[in-house]
Amino acid sequence: MLPPCVFVFDLDDTLYLERDYALSGFAAVGDWARAELRIADFSERAGRLFASGQRTRIFDAVLTQVGLAPDPERVGKMVEVFRNHRPALSLLPDVERFLGRCNAATRLGLITDGYEAAQRNKVEALDLAGRGFDPIVITDVWGREFWKPHARPYRTVAERHADARSQFVYIADNPAKDFITPKAMGWVTIQAEREGGIHSPEPPSPAHAAHARIRTLDELDEAVARSLPLVGLT
């Protein structure tokens, strides 16, 4: 049986698929491009580039495809529309099942990097506050220097639940930045490997590796139980 735990989650490619956010944003930019630039198929072109593996300068590439100059003002407006749009998102099915297993005593938290406005819109679209996530830490509120792996967001969650006398468990997808700090703090770390996730699942060093790797949150309890001896608990 697991000891009491505070389950702390990453957002992108952990609770929902980041590609869904990208496609939602492309649709919003597509509406703008249709009205302002008379580009009928902007979102479709952007989606194809994203599906091919391109992750940067997608707006520049589409503009070039249709014979328009990717000047900074035009691209900047597209970025603004993308970051500020209200996304159409859904929690992954296994996340819904996990939350359905939670009860009033279950403690949840969230730590997410990314531009503040975009992350707030994602949090609102998924109704994470209404689902019991507290605190919801958007690291960009403090500035990019406080994005993970900085310790401040993890300390903020720990302080919020200082009375819990519980084991902290961090579930995220990106071993390049997500796990090195909470591991050093004695948290259990679990890597969620999402099909279609945009980050490499391979850690850059042993220190960056999570204690366990799972495909679905249906495996979470077992993974935590296996990991407890690795943080000095049985």
Side-chain angles (χ1 to χ4, degrees), residues 29-53:
V29 177
D31 290 342
W32 177 88
R34 187 176 300 107
E36 299 295 327
L37 304 176
R38 299 186 183 279
I39 303 174
D41 60 349
F42 186 94
S43 61
E44 291 82 2
R45 289 175 180 268
R48 286 195 293 270
L49 289 170
F50 187 87
S52 74

Side-chain angles (χ1 to χ4, degrees), residues 38 42 54 74-75 113 118 130 166 173 175 179 193 211 224 232:
R38 299 186 183 279
F42 186 94
Q54 186 163 337
R74 183 175 286 153
V75 173
D113 289 342
S166 299
D173 71 298
F179 307 119
E193 297 186 50
H211 292 108
V224 172

